[in-house]
Amino acid sequence: MNEPKEQHRYCDIQSLNDPHSTLKKFYTVNPIFICVISYTETSEIPGITMAGANSELVKYTSAADSEFLYYGRCKCINNVPATPDGKPTPGLITRSALQLSDIPFLVVDAGSKIKPSIPFISFSVKPGENIRSGNAVCFNDVKKLYDYGFTLGVQLAKTNDLVVVGESIAGGTTTALGVMIALGIDAKFKVSSSMPQNPHHLKNSVISEAMERSMVFFGDLRDEPFKAISLFGDPMMPSVAGIASGVIKSGSRIMLAGGTQMAAVAAILNSLHLPLDNISIGTTCYVAEDCFSNLVELVRSVSNDIPIYSCNLHLAESVKPGLQAFARGYVKEGVGAGGISIASMIKSNGRINGTVLLKAIELEYENVIEKVLLK
Amino acid sequence: MNEPKEQHRYCDIQSLNDPHSTLKKFYTVNPIFICVISYTETSEIPGITMAGANSELVKYTSAADSEFLYYGRCKCINNVPATPDGKPTPGLITRSALQLSDIPFLVVDAGSKIKPSIPFISFSVKPGENIRSGNAVCFNDVKKLYDYGFTLGVQLAKTNDLVVVGESIAGGTTTALGVMIALGIDAKFKVSSSMPQNPHHLKNSVISEAMERSMVFFGDLRDEPFKAISLFGDPMMPSVAGIASGVIKSGSRIMLAGGTQMAAVAAILNSLHLPLDNISIGTTCYVAEDCFSNLVELVRSVSNDIPIYSCNLHLAESVKPGLQAFARGYVKEGVGAGGISIASMIKSNGRINGTVLLKAIELEYENVIEKVLLK
């Protein structure tokens, strides 16, 4: 009688492709969160990203995000991680969820341009290049990043029953688009964006250009995911794919925390013929319900066996316009915000829900962002 | 009736300063091992260390050790981690214990000179300098390393009930001597050595010289441990001290895995007025029973509340002369070998003991060292 009903306990999590069974079976006792930070010069193409106010600042984004996760402030930039009108980094959500749930986390640096002032796991690689003008990541680095990720994933799986992996890489949906098309997934007009006006045409033309230059066309690299990453991807992808494969080969479970970029990682894992049953995707409802992208269809094109969980953080109801903006198509997701929110709900057996999280996020917003911006 | 007796269950662990109670209370369900690799140019003083065959090779020691832990072979050197006559790195013991017990591990790079080809946690600091010719570590770096260690320790404590921290830094007993003397611990002729002929007089004279240059004398820095490290220490010390303090402040337990270098870390923690009740030291019997050093007395000078556990790995009974050498005063300890052996015994509830470990170590020795050296 006292047992809350399943749908009540996880009232703010929705299982998008399998509403009946996977969420009920989902549990976690000792999850860990890994945030993979990276960089691709593709983000410097004007108009491609809003993660970072301008192309000079965008290279600080992932370092600033990871410093913010640890300290609640940034060290590499002399400012708060928000746009001048108060739209914050999604890391604000991530930090709130981590603090509420006491889930441990580590940052992996896979080619960020600016190194954060925190203890981070180094994958010793340089930033990704602009796919419009050359190859994305040298092939040996792709293999190395996958191997390093695998090595780390094996260690993490020894004590953690769930590894939640998020990312911070600006311009990452464009490289995701490129890799998915090369792997034979019809991803045009389906990848997400940090902006309400998703620049699909710009992204499509960047990818078309890159593919023509390489003489690679739709589905050509279906069985060569590392080559696809090397040509059109970024250093985040093989790192997250490697962590995921190390974790699942060791018998633990992985949640890919993010939007359509994680669909690309799922496609890579599928192309590597890895078993997909211990993989899920966790994201925010702002990506999942976005009309200008289609996460569910992208993941279904990879496999019907990968559950997608989406969480409602009630940001539309926030008293803060900067947070409401997430529900109006800005930012939407990133730094694993959606996945770690879901993990915190499940770990706490529903004690943490979207409303509880919203309060914590608003408090953090007041203390961290408003205090500085309103000064 | 079927319950094995305490002394039988942990037949190869000895509690050196408190034989009756601490070992019985000791348990661990999900320990993690952290190996802090570092470098001090003090190791380049001729005659001061055997860790690495010569001063050119010594800078590869800690990178080679950590590659060996992950892969069972080294990448940064084109050779096995052993002296030409077959005395292996203590990392051979560490690797065997980690594999038997399935304890996860991560490597922290705190100023190693050569970076290992593994995913490592970077503390973003340069190697330590030769204390004979100048300051050891710049003061701001000491603080930073302690802070980074603390930050990491807090995360580790969230899922791990025991954090075992070992080190790989050549020349580290000399810097340990310097720091302990500055903190008011009479450590002369008590620090250990990787060689049977412990070069005490050389170490003492290096420290005397460094102290005179700095106008700092016995006990002067009793309340300034960071200054003591900055003048006479190395980058490993504040890193390990920081991890330890993060772990114990978060309510978990730490085992300092090593010999007299860890007595210096204990002295630093005591000088920082940290509670010592969740700290222990774990080492091999080859350090604990060494006639040319005195770990027990060093630790007692710090506090009577820090248990010292020592394990017998039965290397004297090995069929391999290279392993027997440990019992004849060579190598003795390092890369957390003793501590992680103890943790593996306790985690396995005694299923792993010194005899089981010896077999695994000998097998590893055959596969890794002999196969190459006997070629």
Side-chain angles (χ1 to χ4, degrees), chain B residues 222-244:
Chain B
R222 204 177 289 275
D223 298 313
E224 293 173 90
F226 288 174
K227 191 169 173 194
I229 298 167
S230 171
L231 291 175
F232 314 118
D234 59 56
M236 179 278 287
M237 295 172 177
S239 309
V240 174
I243 294 170

PDB file of all heavy atoms in Angstrom, chain B residues 222-244:
ATOM      1  N   ARG B 222      57.265  22.654  11.715  1.00  0.00           N
ATOM      2  CA  ARG B 222      56.273  21.791  12.366  1.00  0.00           C
ATOM      3  C   ARG B 222      54.835  22.169  11.986  1.00  0.00           C
ATOM      4  O   ARG B 222      53.988  21.303  11.809  1.00  0.00           O
ATOM      5  CB  ARG B 222      56.466  21.987  13.874  1.00  0.00           C
ATOM      6  CG  ARG B 222      56.021  20.899  14.771  1.00  0.00           C
ATOM      7  CD  ARG B 222      56.372  21.282  16.213  1.00  0.00           C
ATOM      8  NE  ARG B 222      57.816  21.231  16.451  1.00  0.00           N
ATOM      9  CZ  ARG B 222      58.478  20.109  16.780  1.00  0.00           C
ATOM     10  NH1 ARG B 222      57.825  18.969  16.878  1.00  0.00           N
ATOM     11  NH2 ARG B 222      59.773  20.136  17.001  1.00  0.00           N
ATOM     12  N   ASP B 223      54.568  23.451  11.902  1.00  0.00           N
ATOM     13  CA  ASP B 223      53.208  23.892  11.599  1.00  0.00           C
ATOM     14  C   ASP B 223      53.063  24.441  10.175  1.00  0.00           C
ATOM     15  O   ASP B 223      52.074  25.085   9.854  1.00  0.00           O
ATOM     16  CB  ASP B 223      52.774  24.961  12.607  1.00  0.00           C
ATOM     17  CG  ASP B 223      52.747  24.398  14.011  1.00  0.00           C
ATOM     18  OD1 ASP B 223      52.183  23.293  14.173  1.00  0.00           O
ATOM     19  OD2 ASP B 223      53.315  25.023  14.926  1.00  0.00           O
ATOM     20  N   GLU B 224      54.078  24.219   9.365  1.00  0.00           N
ATOM     21  CA  GLU B 224      54.016  24.703   7.986  1.00  0.00           C
ATOM     22  C   GLU B 224      54.364  23.582   7.002  1.00  0.00           C
ATOM     23  O   GLU B 224      55.372  23.660   6.289  1.00  0.00           O
ATOM     24  CB  GLU B 224      54.976  25.876   7.796  1.00  0.00           C
ATOM     25  CG  GLU B 224      54.576  27.128   8.559  1.00  0.00           C
ATOM     26  CD  GLU B 224      55.669  28.194   8.457  1.00  0.00           C
ATOM     27  OE1 GLU B 224      55.615  28.995   7.510  1.00  0.00           O
ATOM     28  OE2 GLU B 224      56.586  28.193   9.302  1.00  0.00           O
ATOM     29  N   PRO B 225      53.517  22.555   6.959  1.00  0.00           N
ATOM     30  CA  PRO B 225      53.865  21.393   6.123  1.00  0.00           C
ATOM     31  C   PRO B 225      53.995  21.731   4.635  1.00  0.00           C
ATOM     32  O   PRO B 225      54.832  21.146   3.946  1.00  0.00           O
ATOM     33  CB  PRO B 225      52.704  20.423   6.371  1.00  0.00           C
ATOM     34  CG  PRO B 225      51.586  21.259   6.892  1.00  0.00           C
ATOM     35  CD  PRO B 225      52.231  22.375   7.651  1.00  0.00           C
ATOM     36  N   PHE B 226      53.189  22.686   4.156  1.00  0.00           N
ATOM     37  CA  PHE B 226      53.287  23.031   2.732  1.00  0.00           C
ATOM     38  C   PHE B 226      54.632  23.683   2.434  1.00  0.00           C
ATOM     39  O   PHE B 226      55.211  23.468   1.369  1.00  0.00           O
ATOM     40  CB  PHE B 226      52.139  23.953   2.312  1.00  0.00           C
ATOM     41  CG  PHE B 226      50.802  23.264   2.231  1.00  0.00           C
ATOM     42  CD1 PHE B 226      49.643  23.991   1.975  1.00  0.00           C
ATOM     43  CD2 PHE B 226      50.677  21.892   2.403  1.00  0.00           C
ATOM     44  CE1 PHE B 226      48.408  23.368   1.889  1.00  0.00           C
ATOM     45  CE2 PHE B 226      49.443  21.251   2.328  1.00  0.00           C
ATOM     46  CZ  PHE B 226      48.307  21.996   2.064  1.00  0.00           C
ATOM     47  N   LYS B 227      55.109  24.489   3.376  1.00  0.00           N
ATOM     48  CA  LYS B 227      56.424  25.095   3.177  1.00  0.00           C
ATOM     49  C   LYS B 227      57.516  24.017   3.216  1.00  0.00           C
ATOM     50  O   LYS B 227      58.467  24.057   2.434  1.00  0.00           O
ATOM     51  CB  LYS B 227      56.679  26.163   4.248  1.00  0.00           C
ATOM     52  CG  LYS B 227      57.898  27.014   3.945  1.00  0.00           C
ATOM     53  CD  LYS B 227      58.007  28.229   4.825  1.00  0.00           C
ATOM     54  CE  LYS B 227      59.344  28.925   4.558  1.00  0.00           C
ATOM     55  NZ  LYS B 227      59.657  29.922   5.607  1.00  0.00           N
ATOM     56  N   ALA B 228      57.337  23.050   4.118  1.00  0.00           N
ATOM     57  CA  ALA B 228      58.317  21.957   4.199  1.00  0.00           C
ATOM     58  C   ALA B 228      58.375  21.187   2.880  1.00  0.00           C
ATOM     59  O   ALA B 228      59.458  20.862   2.375  1.00  0.00           O
ATOM     60  CB  ALA B 228      57.958  21.023   5.356  1.00  0.00           C
ATOM     61  N   ILE B 229      57.209  20.915   2.306  1.00  0.00           N
ATOM     62  CA  ILE B 229      57.177  20.209   1.015  1.00  0.00           C
ATOM     63  C   ILE B 229      57.812  21.070  -0.065  1.00  0.00           C
ATOM     64  O   ILE B 229      58.591  20.595  -0.897  1.00  0.00           O
ATOM     65  CB  ILE B 229      55.719  19.872   0.605  1.00  0.00           C
ATOM     66  CG1 ILE B 229      55.059  18.930   1.611  1.00  0.00           C
ATOM     67  CG2 ILE B 229      55.687  19.258  -0.792  1.00  0.00           C
ATOM     68  CD1 ILE B 229      53.545  18.802   1.443  1.00  0.00           C
ATOM     69  N   SER B 230      57.474  22.350  -0.044  1.00  0.00           N
ATOM     70  CA  SER B 230      57.987  23.263  -1.050  1.00  0.00           C
ATOM     71  C   SER B 230      59.516  23.319  -1.034  1.00  0.00           C
ATOM     72  O   SER B 230      60.160  23.391  -2.078  1.00  0.00           O
ATOM     73  CB  SER B 230      57.376  24.640  -0.801  1.00  0.00           C
ATOM     74  OG  SER B 230      57.995  25.600  -1.601  1.00  0.00           O
ATOM     75  N   LEU B 231      60.096  23.257   0.164  1.00  0.00           N
ATOM     76  CA  LEU B 231      61.553  23.350   0.271  1.00  0.00           C
ATOM     77  C   LEU B 231      62.256  22.013   0.055  1.00  0.00           C
ATOM     78  O   LEU B 231      63.278  21.942  -0.616  1.00  0.00           O
ATOM     79  CB  LEU B 231      61.946  23.902   1.650  1.00  0.00           C
ATOM     80  CG  LEU B 231      61.604  25.371   1.920  1.00  0.00           C
ATOM     81  CD1 LEU B 231      61.942  25.728   3.372  1.00  0.00           C
ATOM     82  CD2 LEU B 231      62.370  26.280   0.956  1.00  0.00           C
ATOM     83  N   PHE B 232      61.705  20.934   0.641  1.00  0.00           N
ATOM     84  CA  PHE B 232      62.467  19.676   0.682  1.00  0.00           C
ATOM     85  C   PHE B 232      61.713  18.465   0.130  1.00  0.00           C
ATOM     86  O   PHE B 232      62.247  17.363   0.136  1.00  0.00           O
ATOM     87  CB  PHE B 232      62.876  19.371   2.138  1.00  0.00           C
ATOM     88  CG  PHE B 232      63.428  20.547   2.870  1.00  0.00           C
ATOM     89  CD1 PHE B 232      62.805  21.048   4.009  1.00  0.00           C
ATOM     90  CD2 PHE B 232      64.580  21.187   2.408  1.00  0.00           C
ATOM     91  CE1 PHE B 232      63.314  22.148   4.680  1.00  0.00           C
ATOM     92  CE2 PHE B 232      65.091  22.290   3.073  1.00  0.00           C
ATOM     93  CZ  PHE B 232      64.460  22.780   4.215  1.00  0.00           C
ATOM     94  N   GLY B 233      60.473  18.660  -0.295  1.00  0.00           N
ATOM     95  CA  GLY B 233      59.642  17.515  -0.657  1.00  0.00           C
ATOM     96  C   GLY B 233      59.620  17.212  -2.139  1.00  0.00           C
ATOM     97  O   GLY B 233      60.587  17.447  -2.873  1.00  0.00           O
ATOM     98  N   ASP B 234      58.493  16.706  -2.577  1.00  0.00           N
ATOM     99  CA  ASP B 234      58.299  16.373  -3.987  1.00  0.00           C
ATOM    100  C   ASP B 234      56.807  16.471  -4.298  1.00  0.00           C
ATOM    101  O   ASP B 234      55.987  16.537  -3.377  1.00  0.00           O
ATOM    102  CB  ASP B 234      58.855  14.974  -4.290  1.00  0.00           C
ATOM    103  CG  ASP B 234      58.193  13.900  -3.442  1.00  0.00           C
ATOM    104  OD1 ASP B 234      56.944  13.792  -3.483  1.00  0.00           O
ATOM    105  OD2 ASP B 234      58.902  13.168  -2.738  1.00  0.00           O
ATOM    106  N   PRO B 235      56.437  16.467  -5.607  1.00  0.00           N
ATOM    107  CA  PRO B 235      55.021  16.679  -5.940  1.00  0.00           C
ATOM    108  C   PRO B 235      54.101  15.526  -5.516  1.00  0.00           C
ATOM    109  O   PRO B 235      52.890  15.716  -5.446  1.00  0.00           O
ATOM    110  CB  PRO B 235      55.035  16.805  -7.477  1.00  0.00           C
ATOM    111  CG  PRO B 235      56.445  17.121  -7.847  1.00  0.00           C
ATOM    112  CD  PRO B 235      57.297  16.458  -6.820  1.00  0.00           C
ATOM    113  N   MET B 236      54.651  14.333  -5.253  1.00  0.00           N
ATOM    114  CA  MET B 236      53.808  13.220  -4.816  1.00  0.00           C
ATOM    115  C   MET B 236      53.146  13.523  -3.469  1.00  0.00           C
ATOM    116  O   MET B 236      51.981  13.204  -3.242  1.00  0.00           O
ATOM    117  CB  MET B 236      54.670  11.952  -4.734  1.00  0.00           C
ATOM    118  CG  MET B 236      53.958  10.696  -4.261  1.00  0.00           C
ATOM    119  SD  MET B 236      53.788  10.550  -2.440  1.00  0.00           S
ATOM    120  CE  MET B 236      55.469  10.168  -1.927  1.00  0.00           C
ATOM    121  N   MET B 237      53.921  14.132  -2.569  1.00  0.00           N
ATOM    122  CA  MET B 237      53.458  14.291  -1.176  1.00  0.00           C
ATOM    123  C   MET B 237      52.164  15.096  -1.023  1.00  0.00           C
ATOM    124  O   MET B 237      51.219  14.619  -0.389  1.00  0.00           O
ATOM    125  CB  MET B 237      54.559  14.930  -0.331  1.00  0.00           C
ATOM    126  CG  MET B 237      55.783  14.068  -0.189  1.00  0.00           C
ATOM    127  SD  MET B 237      57.072  15.036   0.631  1.00  0.00           S
ATOM    128  CE  MET B 237      58.338  13.791   0.756  1.00  0.00           C
ATOM    129  N   PRO B 238      52.099  16.315  -1.557  1.00  0.00           N
ATOM    130  CA  PRO B 238      50.841  17.057  -1.379  1.00  0.00           C
ATOM    131  C   PRO B 238      49.684  16.399  -2.127  1.00  0.00           C
ATOM    132  O   PRO B 238      48.528  16.523  -1.701  1.00  0.00           O
ATOM    133  CB  PRO B 238      51.166  18.439  -1.961  1.00  0.00           C
ATOM    134  CG  PRO B 238      52.309  18.223  -2.887  1.00  0.00           C
ATOM    135  CD  PRO B 238      53.102  17.097  -2.305  1.00  0.00           C
ATOM    136  N   SER B 239      49.993  15.691  -3.216  1.00  0.00           N
ATOM    137  CA  SER B 239      48.942  15.010  -3.970  1.00  0.00           C
ATOM    138  C   SER B 239      48.321  13.907  -3.119  1.00  0.00           C
ATOM    139  O   SER B 239      47.095  13.816  -2.986  1.00  0.00           O
ATOM    140  CB  SER B 239      49.514  14.414  -5.259  1.00  0.00           C
ATOM    141  OG  SER B 239      50.238  15.386  -5.975  1.00  0.00           O
ATOM    142  N   VAL B 240      49.166  13.063  -2.541  1.00  0.00           N
ATOM    143  CA  VAL B 240      48.661  11.962  -1.710  1.00  0.00           C
ATOM    144  C   VAL B 240      47.996  12.519  -0.444  1.00  0.00           C
ATOM    145  O   VAL B 240      46.918  12.060  -0.042  1.00  0.00           O
ATOM    146  CB  VAL B 240      49.785  10.965  -1.366  1.00  0.00           C
ATOM    147  CG1 VAL B 240      49.282   9.901  -0.392  1.00  0.00           C
ATOM    148  CG2 VAL B 240      50.321  10.302  -2.629  1.00  0.00           C
ATOM    149  N   ALA B 241      48.615  13.534   0.153  1.00  0.00           N
ATOM    150  CA  ALA B 241      48.016  14.130   1.360  1.00  0.00           C
ATOM    151  C   ALA B 241      46.647  14.713   1.037  1.00  0.00           C
ATOM    152  O   ALA B 241      45.694  14.575   1.816  1.00  0.00           O
ATOM    153  CB  ALA B 241      48.945  15.207   1.933  1.00  0.00           C
ATOM    154  N   GLY B 242      46.530  15.349  -0.123  1.00  0.00           N
ATOM    155  CA  GLY B 242      45.246  15.919  -0.527  1.00  0.00           C
ATOM    156  C   GLY B 242      44.192  14.847  -0.747  1.00  0.00           C
ATOM    157  O   GLY B 242      43.060  14.966  -0.267  1.00  0.00           O
ATOM    158  N   ILE B 243      44.558  13.786  -1.461  1.00  0.00           N
ATOM    159  CA  ILE B 243      43.608  12.684  -1.680  1.00  0.00           C
ATOM    160  C   ILE B 243      43.159  12.137  -0.328  1.00  0.00           C
ATOM    161  O   ILE B 243      41.959  11.956  -0.078  1.00  0.00           O
ATOM    162  CB  ILE B 243      44.255  11.561  -2.532  1.00  0.00           C
ATOM    163  CG1 ILE B 243      44.556  12.059  -3.948  1.00  0.00           C
ATOM    164  CG2 ILE B 243      43.349  10.333  -2.581  1.00  0.00           C
ATOM    165  CD1 ILE B 243      45.412  11.111  -4.790  1.00  0.00           C
ATOM    166  N   ALA B 244      44.140  11.913   0.557  1.00  0.00           N
ATOM    167  CA  ALA B 244      43.824  11.350   1.872  1.00  0.00           C
ATOM    168  C   ALA B 244      42.857  12.254   2.624  1.00  0.00           C
ATOM    169  O   ALA B 244      41.866  11.787   3.208  1.00  0.00           O
ATOM    170  CB  ALA B 244      45.107  11.158   2.684  1.00  0.00           C
TER     171      ALA B 244
END
